[in-house]
Amino acid sequence: MRRRAVSSYDLQARERTQAEHTSHRRADRSRRRRTIAFSMTLFVALLVASAPSLVSVSPLGRSLLIDSMAGYGWNADVDSVQIGWVTPVRLTGLKLTGHRAGTSLEVAEIQTGMTFSQLLSGELARGQLGEVVLRDVHVACEVHEGSSSIETDLTDLFSSTDSTSSMSPSGSVQILGLHIDVTDAVTESTWSLKQSNASVQIDAKE
């Protein structure tokens, strides 16, 4: 009888120990899951928060701009692209050349009021430009009888705008330091307009 009592006691103790081990293992697994979930959430949050910086410091921003302009018929290059969640988009050293007629456009600096979050919201796609400032703009184009290289190079942009019924362009563009070289395709003579400023208000509803 005594041996049976001891055996029963040992069995109960063993069962309690196994139950405790099982409980600890489950608690450890649950703790690991929570840790992994928290780490992934933190990683995603940091990735989202750093997305504008990644675009600015990596070639991604330049590549996105170049690919976007290529879709409208322009070869593009830019020295730097700066953007943030609260910092507006700023471009420096922008150079554009039209595919169709070779119009050249160079802008030393472009300042906008649009942030990364506004770009994600689709404001630019809807034509909401906000306030844009262009500094040291140089345009070189040719004029032909009844047309110009600028009109030819803007064909793709105009056709894209016409096909997008939801786009309603609005905003203001201020140009500080405008230099235009216009060459007559027949006589090859060139006239220039230098150091001019301009301000344009855009409102498709008017």
Side-chain angles (χ1 to χ4, degrees):
M1 296 294 293
R2 190 173 181 182
R3 286 184 179 178
R4 291 180 182 178
V6 172
S7 298
S8 176
Y9 175 81
D10 290 342
L11 180 60
Q12 291 176 357
R14 192 178 302 114
E15 289 176 349
R16 282 197 301 270
T17 302
Q18 291 177 348
E20 290 175 357
H21 288 168
T22 301
S23 177
H24 287 317
R25 284 197 298 270
R26 289 176 179 174
D28 289 340
R29 284 198 297 268
S30 178
R31 193 180 304 110
R32 284 197 296 270
R33 290 195 192 100
R34 289 196 299 269
T35 302
I36 292 173
F38 176 76
S39 300
M40 291 301 297
T41 302
L42 182 61
F43 174 76
V44 172
L46 290 174
L47 184 62
V48 171
S50 63
S53 299
L54 292 175
V55 172
S56 298
V57 302
S58 70
L60 180 60
R62 296 179 68 255
S63 298
L64 290 174
L65 176 65
I66 292 172
D67 292 343
S68 177
M69 295 309 300
Y72 294 114
W74 291 82
N75 292 321
D77 192 15
V78 64
D79 291 341
S80 68
V81 178
Q82 298 180 10
I83 187 173
W85 287 111
V86 295
T87 304
V89 178
R90 179 174 174 268
L91 309 178
T92 58
L94 177 64
K95 300 178 180 64
L96 300 175
T97 304
H99 288 170
R100 296 175 181 268
T103 301
S104 174
L105 172 63
E106 297 183 7
V107 185
E109 182 182 28
I110 301 178
Q111 294 180 335
T112 75
M114 189 164 294
T115 63
F116 190 71
S117 58
Q118 289 173 311
L119 289 177
L120 292 179
S121 70
E123 289 190 18
L124 185 60
R126 295 192 299 271
Q128 309 303 301
L129 302 177
E131 296 182 359
V132 181
V133 178
L134 311 179
R135 299 182 186 276
D136 297 330
V137 180
H138 184 196
V139 181
C141 62
E142 286 188 348
V143 291
H144 309 269
E145 186 175 352
S147 66
S148 67
S149 63
I150 292 181
E151 294 172 276
T152 303
D153 285 321
L154 289 176
T155 301
D156 293 335
L157 179 61
F158 287 153
S159 61
S160 175
T161 303
D162 292 339
S163 63
T164 308
S165 57
S166 61
M167 178 177 286
S168 180
S170 66
S172 64
V173 179
Q174 187 176 6
I175 303 175
L176 304 177
L178 176 62
H179 181 178
I180 303 177
D181 291 327
V182 181
T183 301
D184 189 305
V186 178
T187 64
E188 296 186 353
S189 59
T190 301
W191 62 269
S192 299
L193 174 66
K194 299 180 180 180
Q195 299 301 322
S196 176
N197 297 332
S199 181
V200 180
Q201 196 72 28
I202 303 172
D203 191 348
K205 297 180 181 179
E206 295 184 353

